[in-house]
Amino acid sequence: MRIVVALGGNALLHRGERPDADVQCANTVRVATAIAALAHDHDLVVTHGNTPQLDLLAAQSTADAALTAPYPLDLLGAQTQGVIGTLLARALHDVLPGRRVVTLVTHTRVRVDDPAFAHPTELVGPVHPEKPARFLAERHGWHMAEDRHGWRRVVPVPSPERILEADTVRALLESGTVVVCAGGGGVPVVADRATGALHGVDAVVDKDLAAARLAEDLKADFLLILTDVPNVYAGYGTPDQRPVLDATPAELRDGHYPVESMGPKAEAAARFVENTGHLAAIGALDAAYEIVHGRSGTLVRPDLPVT
């Protein structure tokens, strides 16, 4: 079976942890251990989030007086793919002796006319007081928005159209290689309509939707979305909270899960199942093997055919 594993952004850096290198190294070992059993029996592709790491690099770049302007987000995202990818590749190499493991920096094509570019929604980078935030907005042409802690940059989240290196990933899988790719949703690029040349864009791509797109392109049998809760919950955080153990794409969407947490995961699982007729699941990292074998998590299955 061919499985695409989508690791949550907190898999390498848990909530409240300092973004130190040794912390992320230790967390990577836990990730590799959790998914190693799947790699013994299946073709495996591993994607990952990058929000804490991207925020850290964006803060450093914004504060660097040696730079004329901060690095654009497409290049910062590529850096996170390299850093997180090498940590995952090392850890997987150690738990899968004799197995080939590779990290691939991948690019995600988005549409230049995607409506998201006119309506930025994703907060990135450091928190600023209002006056410095207004200065940065004027100097760099950034959009800024206020959250609970202060003012932050807000950027577009265009929809992933295609993972450009999908054919390369497929070839690596067919040679028995475990592939780490599409980190942080991939480096967002647009193609010039006249020449086809690629240009990076100052945006981010949702990692779960990119994983679903990649899984579809690879003709994967299973999309496994791993996070820090054991399954999807209806009414999460309320007295009526209950686990959702089994759902169709339509039932997932009817749950109206929050955009900032479970919503993109639910939508990614729904899209993959609808477009392929295969299975997806959402659950906890440490239960990865159990989820694939139907003993944990939330299973997302196709709608039953009308008879």
Side-chain angles (χ1 to χ4, degrees):
M1 188 161 68
R2 181 167 293 175
I3 302 173
V4 171
V5 177
L7 298 171
N10 293 306
L12 297 176
L13 198 61
H14 303 158
R15 301 175 200 276
E17 285 185 329
R18 296 180 65 85
D20 294 333
D22 58 349
V23 172
Q24 297 186 63
C25 286
N27 288 338
T28 305
V29 172
R30 175 185 169 221
V31 169
T33 303
I35 63 178
L38 295 175
H40 289 306
D41 301 321
H42 307 287
D43 293 338
L44 204 64
V45 177
V46 182
T47 73
H48 59 81
N50 71 340
T51 298
Q53 295 82 7
L54 185 66
D55 285 344
L56 177 64
L57 291 180
Q60 292 172 346
S61 184
T62 301
D64 193 336
L67 297 176
T68 303
Y71 270 45
L73 288 176
D74 58 307
L75 296 184
L76 295 179
Q79 290 182 51
T80 67
Q81 284 197 59
V83 170
I84 299 171
T86 195
L87 293 176
L88 284 169
R90 290 183 212 171
L92 287 166
H93 174 273
D94 291 345
V95 298
L96 296 170
R99 189 74 176 272
R100 284 178 290 189
V101 181
V102 68
T103 289
L104 190 65
V105 174
T106 48
H107 300 77
T108 301
R109 192 181 68 198
V110 300
R111 292 196 344 257
V112 69
D113 60 349
D114 192 303
F117 286 111
H119 303 283
T121 58
E122 181 76 9
L123 294 166
V124 299
V127 177
H128 304 279
E130 182 175 0
K131 188 174 179 179
R134 293 191 182 279
F135 170 79
L136 289 169
E138 183 176 349
R139 181 175 184 180
H140 302 301
W142 291 351
H143 295 277
M144 306 295 284
E146 188 175 17
D147 70 359
R148 293 174 299 171
H149 306 291
W151 291 77
R152 296 179 69 193
R153 186 182 178 192
V154 60
V155 302
V157 188
S159 181
E161 293 287 302
R162 184 185 170 205
I163 310 301
L164 296 184
E165 292 81 5
D167 288 344
T168 302
V169 175
R170 186 181 300 110
L172 288 166
L173 285 173
E174 289 170 356
S175 73
T177 304
V178 176
V179 185
V180 180
C181 64
V187 178
V189 295
V190 295
D192 186 280
R193 288 175 176 171
T195 67
L198 299 178
H199 304 281
V201 291
D202 234 7
V204 296
V205 179
D206 181 84
K207 62 179 174 53
D208 296 309
L209 297 183
R213 176 74 263 176
L214 177 64
E216 186 176 343
D217 290 345
L218 294 176
K219 296 180 169 40
D221 303 291
F222 201 102
L223 173 62
L224 177 59
I225 301 176
L226 298 176
T227 183
D228 55 0
V229 293
N231 41 245
V232 176
Y233 287 96
Y236 183 73
T238 72
D240 298 323
Q241 174 178 307
R242 61 176 179 81
V244 177
L245 303 181
D246 179 278
T248 65
E251 289 167 346
L252 266 189
R253 290 196 178 101
D254 285 346
H256 302 291
Y257 299 103
V259 173
E260 66 275 8
S261 55
M262 189 57 71
K265 295 175 177 57
E267 178 60 26
R271 287 189 192 184
F272 174 73
V273 172
E274 282 179 337
N275 292 338
T276 67
H278 296 156
L279 298 176
I282 303 170
L285 168 65
D286 293 328
Y289 186 86
E290 299 298 312
I291 295 168
V292 170
H293 290 83
R295 297 190 288 268
S296 185
T298 297
L299 179 69
V300 187
R301 52 176 173 75
D303 290 296
L304 295 175
V306 178
T307 58

